[in-house]
Every structure is written in structure tokens, then in C-alpha cells.
Amino acid sequence: MTEPLPPFIIFILGALLVPLLKGRWKSGLLLLIPVLGFINLVHMEEGTYWIVPFLDYHLIFGRVDRLSLLFGYIFHIISFIAILYALHVKDDIQHVAGLVYAGSALGAVFSGELFSFFVFWEMLTISSIFLIWARRTGASLGAGYRYLLVHAAGGLCLLAGIVLHVNQTGSIELGYLGLNGPGTYLIFFGFGLNCAWPVLHPWLTDAYPEATITGTIFLSAFTTKVAVYALARAFPGTQALIWIGAVMTSFPIFYAVIENDLRRVLAYSLINQVGFMVCGIGIGTALAINGAVCHAFNDILFKALLFMSMGAVMYRTGKINGTDLGGLYRTMPLTCIFCMVGAASISAFPLFSGFVSKSMVMDAAGAGHMRIIWFMLLFASAGVFHHAGIKIPYFAFFSHDSGMRPKEAPVHMLLAMGIAAGLSIFIGVYPAPLYSLLPYPVEYVPYTAPHILGQTQLLFFSALAFTLLLLSGIYPAEIRCINLDVDWFYRKGGRLFYRVMARTLNPINAASERLFVKGIVRSIAHLSKDIIARLSVFVMVTFWMLTGLRGERLRMRKLNLYADVMGGTCPVGLGAGAATAFLVLVFVLM
């Protein structure tokens, strides 16, 4: 029997072959890579594999357990869907970057220690940047550079934390760490940055909407979910995560409601959904951890479905703002249906995937008597239906008639959306197969009368609020504008810092230049030209005057001595005497 390979190997090697093929052969290879990877994955049993000695440590490229397997399965599934969706793309950079990005995510979740995990973590950043830059616009270029700077800072924090932790404990194992020292706090912060915690989140809403249409599908699946995996692995039960996650679920709603760019609306929605996962990890019970990773699995599918539907609209119309769209259901009915399936799933409608996972986190908060947290999650559930469940399909496919009559999305895009939509419905109707993959045994029953009635009431009241606000004209208009987020403080603060430093340090720099460069150094340089000659003249003139030499003879000897020393023709004894005097001076000073 053939031994399984490390999951990342298949994607990385496959990426190297992509530029060598053309046409259908290339398309076949692209689709074959995740299929081979998935077959390889299902043959992997729990355990530790591919251990490589490195210095005094052992690198582990295959720590296989229920947590890593769950993320491995969904990463393969979404890779196949995203590649199928992107088959029309003729840009090898995007294909190679997407495969390396997926391979890096797989490498990270199967790493058994911190060193190889860090390498794959940084590969995630590098490969994902090309999915942003590949759009080749000024906005994408700027967003990519900002993305790179933020993640480089986060990577440095993570690296510093790993070094401190290893120095403190002597262990490189990637297991439960907890917050117990400076190293673990830095690691915690590094994970949080990729997780798009509040205040640290603007990189996501800045970069994702500027990426290519197909690149955004990959981006929505990997970076934040690898961070969720890392938190579930290293910091389950960390109390701070409960509040961080609860805030993540709530604040993006306000931005998403007023945002005009529908892909940016989905970017805020992504933060909102990751908040449920972070909160569940913070609660830390078996039900909460199961709910967090189960929701990560579902979110990857329905969020990709929503991004794919908006990508299809953008591909056919070239527009993505709510003000420019509307009435597209006439000519893009299938895309509209798939978008509504994604909207129902993210809103946790009964019989859709979000219903069977999001409520696990809320029930865990309720079981822990966390009333404020529970109400925040409830508010977030209503809000996500408001901005992602209704707003996205309404303004893209219904609302006012934009007059555009684009063709339906290409067949391969429809197939990709159909697979994601089918899985979202299947999981919602029959969650048992997904529950069987979760880290802990599942006793949770989602389809109870109180749960169905409560969730249905919440959704209908949210829809009623949307309708009333819209009819009364109170709903925030979809206007062309730039919404300010906390990155305003970064950008304005950065400029203010630069000006303060320029006005403070530049005068000091100028004064230092005048004093040291043009003052002291110039004087020393001037003196050093004839300091030996001057010293020699001083010593010898003193000696000659003591011996009675005066007048014209003294002046001539003085001039001759100065000329001889400057010309390098002074007596050997004079140089030896000066050297001896210097050594005596050094000896006395010591």
C-alpha cells in the first residue's frame, strides 16, 4: 500500500507544473490536484507522520487528528470549488498563487510544531498577496502593499513569540499554549491579527475587495480559517477570546449596512462570522469548540458561495456597487438562486448550513450563563441576515432596474456555485456526517421546536425591520462614498507621527550636523593636516629659545623645520621622539 504524502506537497508540486501545460491539459491538472489531495487525505489515519530532524529539534509535517482532518477536508473541497470557478482565468500567476496558498494552509494545519507552522504561516501571506496584485490596478497594488506590511508585522510578532516561548520552555510543540508569558502573548497577538480582531481588522476589508474576482474566493477561505484553527489548537478556553469574538460579531454590522461595495459588505460579514468562531473557542467547552469549527467548515462554503455570486455579477457587468446594480434576476436567474442559498445559509435559516452550526456557539454561551455575550450573538445573528441575507441579493438582483441585461454566468462558474450551494443545503438538512467529523462527540440536536421557532421569529422580525426602514426611507441610502474605518487612525496617525518626528528630529539633526560635521570634525580635519609640524615647531622653538637662539636665525629654523615636517623630510629622530612621547603619554594615562 502506498504511504500518504504530506497534504501540502501535492499542491506545491502541482503549482510548479501549471505553467508547463496549456489548454485542457492545464484545466485537467488544476482540477486533478485537489482530487488527488483529497484521496490522499482520506487514507491518512490519526497519528504523527513525516518527522524530520532539524538542529536539536524534530520538525513534524503531519500531526493528524480530528481537528486537523476537519480543516483538511474543507480546504480540499473549497480548493476544488475555487479552481473550478476560476477555469476561465488565463493568468498563470493566479493559478500558481492559489495552489501555493491552499498548500500553505494545509501545511499549517497539519504542522505538529511551531517552526514549520511559522514557515507555512508566512507562505500564506506571500502567496495571497499575488491574488491581490494580480488584479493589476492602482487600488489593488496599494491594498497589497498595506496587506504585506500588516502581515509582516504580525509575522514578526509571531516569530518573536515563538523564540521567547521555545527559550522559556525548550519545547517547539504546537499544542495548548495558554497565556502564561510574554512569548505566548505575542503568539496570541500574531494569530489574532490574521483572525482580523477588532482594530486589527482593516487589512481584510481593505484588501479582499481589491483582489481578483477568483482570488477573493481563495482569500475568503484560508487566512482567517487557519488563524481560527491555530486559536482552537493553542488557546481554547481563553477568556479574552469570548469578548473579542462577541465584539467581532457586532461591530461589522454597522459598516456592512452603510457600505456600497457589495464585496466589501461580504468582507465585513466575514469578520462577523469569524467572531462566532472566536467566541466559541474562548468559551472552550466541547459544545463551543465543536460549534466553532463546525461553523468554520460551513462558513467557508457559504461565504465562498456569496463571493462567487458577486464575482459572477462583477464578471458579467464590470460593476459591484449596490447603486449600479439591480434587476439582474431577469438574465442571471441561476446566479440569483445560488446567491439566495448562500444568503439563507449565512443567516441560519432552518434547512441551511448556518442553522446547524451557529446555534451551537449560542447555546454554549447560554449554557455558561453568559447573558451579555448571548445577547450580542443574537444581535449579530439578526444583523447578518439584515446585511448579508437581504441586502446582497436585494440590491444585486432586485431593487431598482439598472437596465443591464448581462448573460448568465459561465457554466463552470455555475457548477462551482451549484456544488457549494448543494453542500450548504445538504449539511443544513442532514448535519450528521459533518457532526461525525467534529473534535468531540456531538449530542447536539439542532431541529427542536424552540430552536426552529426562535430562529424563525428572529429572521422574520429582522426582515420586517429591513422592509419598514426601506419603505420609510430611513434605511441608509446606497450612495457613492468612502466609509471610514479604524484604518483612518492608522493613516492619519501615521502622517501625524511623521510630521511630529520631522519637526522634532530634523532640527536636532541639522544642529548636530552644524556642530559635529561642519564644526568639530572640520576643525579636527584642519588641524590634523599640520598638527605634527605645529607640535614639532612648538617643542623645538621652545628648546632653541632656551639655548639662546633669537632673531632671524630662529625664524629661519622655524620655517625650515615646518617645511621639512610637512614635506616628510624631517629627521628620523624627530619622528621617533614623537612616537616615544605618545607612548609615554599613553602609559601615564593608563
Side-chain angles (χ1 to χ4, degrees):
M1 180 178 176
T2 305
E3 291 293 325
L5 296 170
F8 73 91
I9 287 285
I10 297 173
F11 282 79
I12 303 294
L13 291 179
L16 297 177
L17 296 176
V18 167
L20 305 179
L21 301 177
K22 294 182 179 179
R24 292 182 178 180
W25 288 101
K26 177 178 292 186
S27 299
L29 173 67
L30 287 169
L31 293 173
L32 187 62
I33 290 169
V35 173
L36 288 177
F38 193 83
I39 294 171
N40 176 68
L41 185 65
V42 297
H43 285 92
M44 291 168 55
E45 297 181 354
E46 293 187 35
T48 303
Y49 307 95
W50 312 299
I51 301 172
V52 178
F54 177 73
L55 300 177
D56 295 331
Y57 302 99
H58 288 87
L59 303 183
I60 302 171
F61 292 99
R63 192 258 306 279
V64 183
D65 58 15
R66 296 177 70 84
L67 183 61
S68 57
L69 278 174
L70 180 75
F71 281 87
Y73 292 140
I74 188 57
F75 283 172
H76 279 84
I77 293 171
I78 198 61
S79 295
F80 179 82
I81 292 173
I83 289 170
L84 178 61
Y85 183 83
L87 281 184
H88 65 284
V89 174
K90 304 301 180 187
D91 185 0
D92 280 349
I93 291 176
Q94 293 189 53
H95 290 309
V96 173
L99 288 171
V100 174
Y101 188 35
S104 303
L106 287 167
V109 299
F110 284 104
S111 293
E113 32 66 40
L114 291 165
F115 286 174
S116 61
F117 176 83
F118 176 76
V119 172
F120 288 118
W121 183 271
E122 290 305 298
M123 286 175 62
L124 277 172
T125 298
I126 295 170
S127 54
S128 57
I129 287 174
F130 290 97
L131 296 172
I132 302 167
W133 282 340
R135 195 175 174 189
R136 298 178 175 84
T137 62
S140 67
L141 187 65
Y145 278 121
R146 291 189 290 273
Y147 179 92
L148 176 60
L149 285 173
V150 170
H151 285 272
L156 286 174
C157 277
L158 178 59
L159 179 60
I162 291 172
V163 171
L164 288 173
H165 174 72
V166 173
N167 185 55
Q168 180 184 356
T169 65
S171 170
I172 64 171
E173 182 187 1
L174 176 55
Y176 175 78
L177 299 178
L179 295 175
N180 54 23
T184 54
Y185 275 99
L186 287 171
I187 294 172
F188 188 63
F189 180 82
F191 290 169
L193 191 143
N194 273 27
C195 220
W197 284 354
V199 182
L200 304 176
H201 71 276
W203 63 266
L204 194 155
T205 53
D206 179 31
Y208 283 16
E210 301 300 338
T212 64
I213 290 174
T214 55
T216 309
I217 317 304
F218 285 94
L219 290 169
S220 70
F222 294 122
T223 298
T224 51
K225 303 311 179 299
V226 171
V228 167
Y229 162 82
L231 288 174
R233 175 70 71 189
F235 298 100
T238 301
Q239 295 289 308
L241 290 175
I242 300 174
W243 286 100
I244 291 172
V247 173
M248 285 179 73
T249 62
S250 304
F251 86 88
I253 292 171
F254 300 100
Y255 288 103
V257 167
I258 62 174
E259 181 59 54
N260 191 20
D261 184 329
L262 297 184
R263 290 209 302 173
R264 187 159 281 114
V265 171
L266 291 176
Y268 279 112
S269 175
L270 197 159
I271 298 171
N272 161 273
Q273 294 301 300
V274 171
F276 282 92
M277 305 165 208
V278 172
C279 189
I281 294 168
I283 294 171
T285 61
L287 175 62
I289 297 292
N290 276 343
V293 297
C294 184
H295 198 55
F297 191 101
N298 290 334
D299 179 73
I300 289 173
L301 287 172
F302 58 63
K303 190 53 59 60
L305 177 56
L306 288 168
F307 270 117
M308 284 191 287
S309 63
M310 289 301 99
V313 168
M314 193 175 173
Y315 178 74
R316 285 305 194 196
T317 67
K319 300 180 185 301
I320 196 59
N321 286 345
T323 48
D324 300 326
L325 299 171
L328 302 184
Y329 73 93
R330 294 179 175 85
T331 56
M332 302 182 73
L334 293 177
T335 303
C336 176
I337 291 171
F338 292 140
C339 179
M340 293 178 71
V341 171
S345 299
I346 196 172
S347 304
F349 262 92
L351 303 181
F352 293 88
S353 59
F355 182 81
V356 303
S357 56
K358 189 185 297 183
S359 53
M360 296 172 77
V361 177
M362 294 186 65
D363 281 11
H369 305 292
M370 303 172 187
R371 294 182 181 84
I372 297 176
I373 297 297
W374 188 86
F375 275 111
M376 291 176 73
L377 299 182
L378 185 68
F379 167 76
S381 297
V384 73
F385 178 55
H386 197 278
H387 72 259
I390 302 177
K391 178 178 178 177
I392 293 289
Y394 177 76
F395 283 102
F397 297 100
F398 303 102
S399 185
H400 69 283
D401 186 0
S402 63
M404 291 186 289
R405 297 292 183 266
K407 293 193 296 185
E408 181 57 276
V411 173
H412 64 90
M413 283 188 175
L414 292 174
L415 283 173
M417 288 187 280
I419 294 171
L423 287 172
S424 295
I425 295 172
F426 175 77
I427 293 171
V429 174
Y430 186 53
L434 176 57
Y435 284 174
S436 69
L437 300 175
L438 297 179
Y440 299 100
V442 177
E443 299 177 355
Y444 181 73
V445 179
Y447 288 103
T448 60
H451 183 203
I452 295 173
L453 288 174
Q455 184 65 15
T456 305
Q457 287 178 352
L458 177 72
L459 295 174
F460 275 103
F461 274 110
S462 183
L464 178 64
F466 178 86
T467 305
L468 292 176
L469 289 172
L470 198 66
L471 293 176
S472 62
I474 301 175
Y475 190 87
E478 302 302 311
I479 58 177
R480 293 177 174 82
C481 62
I482 298 175
N483 296 323
L484 299 180
D485 203 336
V486 293
D487 60 336
W488 182 86
F489 294 99
Y490 297 166
R491 302 185 191 199
K492 294 296 182 182
R495 289 182 182 179
L496 178 64
F497 178 78
Y498 177 80
R499 288 178 182 174
V500 169
M501 290 298 103
R503 292 185 179 182
T504 305
L505 297 180
N506 282 348
I508 297 174
N509 181 54
S512 300
E513 184 178 359
R514 286 195 300 272
L515 176 63
F516 294 104
V517 178
K518 296 181 180 179
I520 297 175
V521 173
R522 178 177 290 181
S523 299
I524 292 174
H526 179 72
L527 288 173
S528 64
K529 290 191 304 184
D530 60 352
I531 186 65
I532 300 297
R534 288 175 181 269
L535 287 174
S536 300
V537 168
F538 174 76
V539 173
M540 293 309 298
V541 166
T542 303
F543 173 74
W544 288 328
M545 290 181 69
L546 291 175
T547 57
L549 193 63
R550 296 288 190 280
E552 185 61 21
R553 290 183 62 193
L554 177 62
R555 191 180 71 82
M556 291 302 298
R557 285 198 176 189
K558 176 181 174 183
L559 292 175
N560 290 337
L561 177 61
Y562 183 85
D564 288 344
V565 174
M566 291 301 292
T569 57
C570 62
V572 175
L574 189 58
T580 302
F582 175 76
L583 292 175
V584 170
L585 178 63
V586 171
F587 178 77
V588 171
L589 293 176
M590 290 177 65

